[in-house]
Amino acid sequence: MTQLDYQTSDFAYDTGPSAPDDGPSDCAGLPARIAIFGDRAVMRDQIEEDLAGAGFHTINGGSFAKLLDGPIALLGDAVMVDCPVVDAAALAALARLDMRAARSGAQLIVITSIDALNDVFAVLDQSDPQILVQPSRAERVLAVGRVMTNISNARMREMTEEDRLGLLHLSRQVEAIAHKLEGLSGAPDAAMTQAALRAHSGGSQAIGFAEAEVFEGENGQRFNSERPPLPKPRHVRQLIAARQARAKFFDGELFADPAWDMLLDLTAAHAEQARVSVTSLCIAAAVPATTALRWIKQLVDSGVFVRVADSSDRRRAFIALSEQSTDAMARYFAEVETPIAHAA
């Protein structure tokens, strides 16, 4: 394991006034401790080292099995769990932890693999956790930084101006350390994750809807115009294939548009009456899985997508278009269906 020196000529990470090992990490009421669980001792140690270097206080909770022993104790404002492989017992522990986190308001970060993603996603439906798929060291630190921001935002009204400056200072430290870690790891994780996604299959912006066309009836009632039919699935699949073909000739990042790629995939699946797993949707997004999961979360939160539980198997969950999104996609394709039909 590469040893990271946090006191270098390039970076000097001063986390502010010193505090006892078991005390808060700063004056702004930021997360005092990040509890770390996982069966891989080397991974736990690396996570602890990176987070400590970023100014966070950590608790090495030991193996994942400890989450099964008696009541789950949340030892801080956040819990990070490393579980690349899951079995029935591990999923049960995750479900319990998810419920406890939801009740207490604690932030949950779960690190997993492509193979375990569908199962992990299905059982984590209470606490709105962050799910990281084969993340780099930098992505782990940034995930904790986002947790810190979530918690501090909830307490913002209680913060003084000095507290806010301390938060800004610490946030910048986290970002700087993440960049340094990215350099140490060589940043191969994004490409590796995408390759793993395809093998397995065998940022922020505002998201919303344009206003639907509304008519007023004779009695003053208001209603939407009749929805046109969705296009034939093969037309949507042709459009998806054409978008993917661009990567043969140009850098794929030039055209990164995960929200639209996922909308197209779910539109085709809706017309095919097929269910779409979270892993499959990550593949359709054509971005690293962790990035795709953040987009999926934002799109679910904003009502563009809906999470659909499998009524016959609680260990599975799917993603689908919301009714409003289905209506919007039908109207979009009705407007452009003539050129698409000609292209077919």
Side-chain angles (χ1 to χ4, degrees), residues 64-83:
F64 187 61
K66 288 190 176 181
L67 290 174
L68 298 172
D69 298 334
I72 296 174
L74 296 180
L75 304 178
D77 288 315
V79 177
M80 178 174 279
V81 180
D82 175 45
C83 53

Side-chain angles (χ1 to χ4, degrees), residues 41-84:
V42 172
M43 180 63 69
R44 291 200 313 270
D45 292 342
Q46 186 184 81
I47 294 172
E48 186 174 28
E49 175 192 356
D50 291 344
L51 295 183
F56 299 104
H57 288 198
T58 61
I59 297 174
N60 194 324
S63 69
F64 187 61
K66 288 190 176 181
L67 290 174
L68 298 172
D69 298 334
I72 296 174
L74 296 180
L75 304 178
D77 288 315
V79 177
M80 178 174 279
V81 180
D82 175 45
C83 53

Side-chain angles (χ1 to χ4, degrees), residues 191-208:
M192 290 176 61
T193 300
Q194 191 62 19
L197 273 169
R198 298 197 180 282
H200 184 268
S201 68
S204 70
Q205 68 182 64
I207 297 175

